[in-house]
Structures are given as structure tokens and as C-alpha cells.
Amino acid sequence: MVPSRTALYNAHQAAGAKLVPFAGWDMPLQYTSMLAEAKATRASCGLFDVSHMGKAFLTGPQALNALLKLCTNDAARLAAGQAQYTLLCNEAGVALDDLIIYHIGEEAYLLVINASNTETDLAWMRRHLPEGANLRDDTEGLSLVAVQGPRSVEALRRVLPTPVADLPSFGVLGCEVAGAQGWIARTGYTGEDGFEVFCRSDRAPELWDQLAGQPEVTLCGLGARDILRTEAGYPLYGHELSADACPLEAGLGWVIRKGGGYIGDGPIEKVRAEGAMRRLRGLMLQDRGIARPGFRVLSGDEEVGVVTSGTFSPNLQASIAMASLKVGAAKPGTSLTVEGDRRPLQATVVALPFHRFPKFGPA
């Protein structure tokens, strides 16, 4: 199947990006160096095309009730202008996906879901929608760019006619973007202060060019984004979240409301009551090498877990990983061994995240 292309494909080519197939899309892996791009985002500001993410509008008088049935978090707590991280689970209580809900108006929500799961997620939602809730896919028509890092406010305030510094964390605001209706949200996937900007796809190249021309900005690809989200301890579907485990084992109890009422509540509450058998933890490697997803984690000769994500962190100057570990091996400070490509790698269990989200507020 021929990969889809975002509205910014030509801009990526012109900037010399290395383009690779990802989740059915041709996407920039890197422009110069993944490590340099990850460091630039932490130090200043990174610009990412994330238009491959699924985007859909949920509207109607039963939209909120649909979210309360489909998703684990409490969408009833969302006022207009607020966003929320949540999970979509099946009847067995395992995550089909994680997503962000943006409450953009009365009886109106914008959903952002993983690119690899867009079709299956939307089909699942439609099968469970109550009458009076309408779901419209706008993945192709709506582009999404992420502006992330400590200088993201500086870059955006020159481009958008709205006071971006006043937007709170997980706030969302409708505004004019490149001459058309769009939204800006103080959300992201890097562990930095930053924003995600929704723009009509025919206006996206104009927005991209304006942002790329700002002195603080470095163009960044998916490689840097994966490094940054691993440093921040953020889960990725198919890695930390999967159909093989209860999301409580990934440390996501905080996005699962007590009392149930959502699809999959019974099995999840059973695990909550009995206690999860595994924990998601960080591993700091003492040896050179990358702990790749699927590598076994050992305590002596006993297998105690599996690596879910691993990378080299240019900001910590160390190899790091996330792993699903048996409870008995998950205490921070525990010494473990990761089976490497060529030799065992010594590692120490650490609490997540490796990089803590900086505090900020309206300026």
C-alpha cells in the first residue's frame, strides 16, 4: 500500500528530511541528527509534524455520554477549553489505544488518536455510540504541528494572533491559524512545556514556514520525538500499552476513574482490587548498548520482565529504557541484567520519568 502524505510532505523534502514509512504515512525520521534535535527541543524549541495522528470530531447531545462509556477517564470533569488524557479499552479491560480529548465547545469534542489505530479506533467507537452522538473523521483535512520546548511561547507569539502564554497546561483555545479556524492546545508528547496547533491542511504549509523561520526553532522528526517521550516516561501504544496487559500495569491508574461505567471496567477494577502483578519502571544502563523492545530482563537466571522501549538519551548522556517488571523486581535501585544483542547489559531500576516536566504557568 502506498503511504499517505501529510500536507507538509513537500516542506519536509525541501528541508532535507529523511522520510520513512510510519503507520501508513511518509514521515520525517530526522532532518540532521535525532540526538541533536532532541537536545535542541529541551534547550530551546522543536517543531514537529504530527499530522499523521488520527483526528475526529465527536458532537451532539449525547457526545459526553459516549465519552463516559468509551473512555476510562472522567470526561464529565472537562469544562470547555480543557483537554484530558484517557484510554479506550475493550470488554477484557485492555487498552485499545490512548488518546487526548479536547473539549472545544458546547456538545463538541476533538479527539486525537494514534495513527496506527485510527481506522480500528473509529470503527470501535462507531459501534458503541449512543443515538445523539456523531463522530466525524477529519484526519486528512486537519493538520497538527507540535511546538515544544522552553522557548515555544516566544516562537508562537510571533505567529498566532492570540495570547499563547496565558493558556494553562491542558488548555485548548479556538483561534485563527494561518487565516482559518483552528485550535491551539498546551499539550505535547515530549515532557516539555509546549503546544500543539490544529490547522486546516490547505493552510498548514503557511503555518509551518512561519514557525520554521523563527530563530528559536529546530525542525525535528519522529526519531527525536521518540527519544523525548521515552525520557519523559510517556507510554507508546504497542510498547508500554498493548492488548496483553491491563493498563494499571503501565502506571495509568490515574486516568482510570473509580466506580466504573466504561467499557472494560469489570476486569480493570478486579486488577485494582487484587493488585497488579507487574510495574512499568525505568532502567538506567551502566553498559554501552541499547536495550531494545522485547529484550528479556533478568535477575540472576530468573526472567523478571521485558523491555518495552529503549534509546540513548542525549540529555542524560546514558542509555535508558522502560520495562514491564514483576512487582518483586520493580523497586528502584534494584540491579538487573538486560539480554543485549551481543552481551548482557547491566541496568538499575529507576522511577519514571527520567526527565520531569518543567513547571510553568500563564505569563
Side-chain angles (χ1 to χ4, degrees):
M1 189 174 78
V2 177
S4 299
R5 293 176 175 177
T6 76
L8 299 171
Y9 178 83
N10 291 337
H12 301 321
Q13 277 194 317
K18 179 180 179 181
L19 293 154
V20 297
F22 180 81
W25 296 78
D26 273 333
M27 295 298 295
L29 178 66
Q30 63 190 71
Y31 295 85
T32 54
S33 154
M34 298 179 200
L35 301 184
E37 291 165 16
K39 289 186 72 173
T41 301
R42 293 263 184 260
S44 184
C45 180
L47 177 62
F48 303 78
D49 178 15
V50 287
S51 303
H52 63 307
M53 300 290 283
K55 298 167 288 288
F57 291 95
L58 180 65
T59 59
Q62 290 298 311
L64 175 57
N65 285 336
L67 290 174
L68 292 173
K69 177 182 179 182
L70 287 164
C71 299
T72 62
N73 211 334
D74 187 2
R77 296 171 56 192
L78 277 178
Q82 294 181 331
Q84 183 183 76
Y85 177 64
T86 191
L87 301 174
L88 188 72
C89 292
N90 64 14
E91 292 90 347
V94 297
L96 298 172
D97 207 353
D98 57 347
L99 61 153
I100 295 185
I101 301 167
Y102 299 89
H103 192 177
I104 58 173
E106 186 176 357
E107 299 179 354
Y109 301 85
L110 173 57
L111 313 181
V112 174
I113 55 187
N114 280 301
S116 59
N117 295 338
T118 299
E119 290 186 10
T120 55
D121 283 2
L122 294 178
W124 173 266
M125 291 180 190
R126 288 189 177 105
R127 288 199 298 272
H128 294 89
L129 283 184
E131 187 174 348
N134 306 297
L135 187 65
R136 178 173 64 85
D137 181 11
D138 202 16
T139 300
E140 296 279 355
L142 197 61
S143 290
L144 179 58
V145 299
V147 185
Q148 302 282 295
R151 300 185 68 186
S152 55
V153 168
E154 295 176 53
L156 275 167
R157 68 181 5 151
R158 302 189 200 101
V159 173
L160 295 182
T162 189
V164 296
D166 295 336
L167 197 63
S169 178
F170 271 75
V172 59
L173 176 69
C175 62
E176 181 182 302
V177 180
Q181 171 63 46
W183 293 267
I184 180 170
R186 206 160 194 168
T187 52
Y189 195 49
T190 63
E192 287 296 327
D193 183 16
F195 302 81
E196 293 178 301
V197 185
F198 299 85
C199 175
R200 300 312 311 173
S201 289
D202 61 346
R203 307 296 180 93
E206 178 184 346
L207 173 66
W208 183 267
D209 288 346
Q210 290 174 342
L211 289 168
Q214 302 305 314
E216 305 86 3
V217 168
T218 296
L219 301 185
C220 300
L222 294 179
R225 190 167 181 256
D226 192 59
I227 291 170
L228 293 163
R229 72 95 189 166
T230 304
E231 291 177 344
Y234 292 164
L236 175 64
Y237 192 83
H239 292 253
E240 288 69 42
L241 282 170
S242 72
D244 299 324
C246 174
L248 292 173
E249 296 180 351
L252 292 175
W254 62 279
V255 298
I256 302 174
R257 67 184 188 270
K258 295 181 180 179
Y262 56 87
I263 295 172
D265 57 356
I268 289 176
E269 289 307 315
K270 185 174 186 291
V271 172
R272 198 198 299 267
E274 295 177 353
M277 301 298 292
R278 305 176 78 86
R279 295 282 188 271
L280 184 68
R281 291 289 186 262
L283 295 177
M284 187 75 72
L285 274 64
Q286 278 74 59
D287 294 326
R288 295 184 63 180
I290 302 297
R292 304 192 186 281
F295 281 8
R296 297 195 307 157
V297 183
L298 306 176
S299 176
D301 295 328
E302 179 190 0
E303 182 176 342
V304 295
V306 62
V307 173
T308 57
S309 295
T311 190
F312 178 80
S313 165
N315 299 296
L316 299 172
Q317 284 297 297
S319 289
I320 60 174
M322 288 190 280
S324 177
L325 301 174
K326 292 180 179 179
V327 170
K331 183 178 179 180
T334 302
S335 295
L336 299 173
T337 302
V338 177
E339 285 193 336
D341 281 321
R342 299 180 180 177
R343 59 186 175 86
L345 303 171
Q346 300 305 308
T348 302
V349 177
V350 298
L352 291 170
F354 298 97
H355 171 83
R356 293 207 167 270
F357 194 98
K359 292 184 178 180
F360 65 91

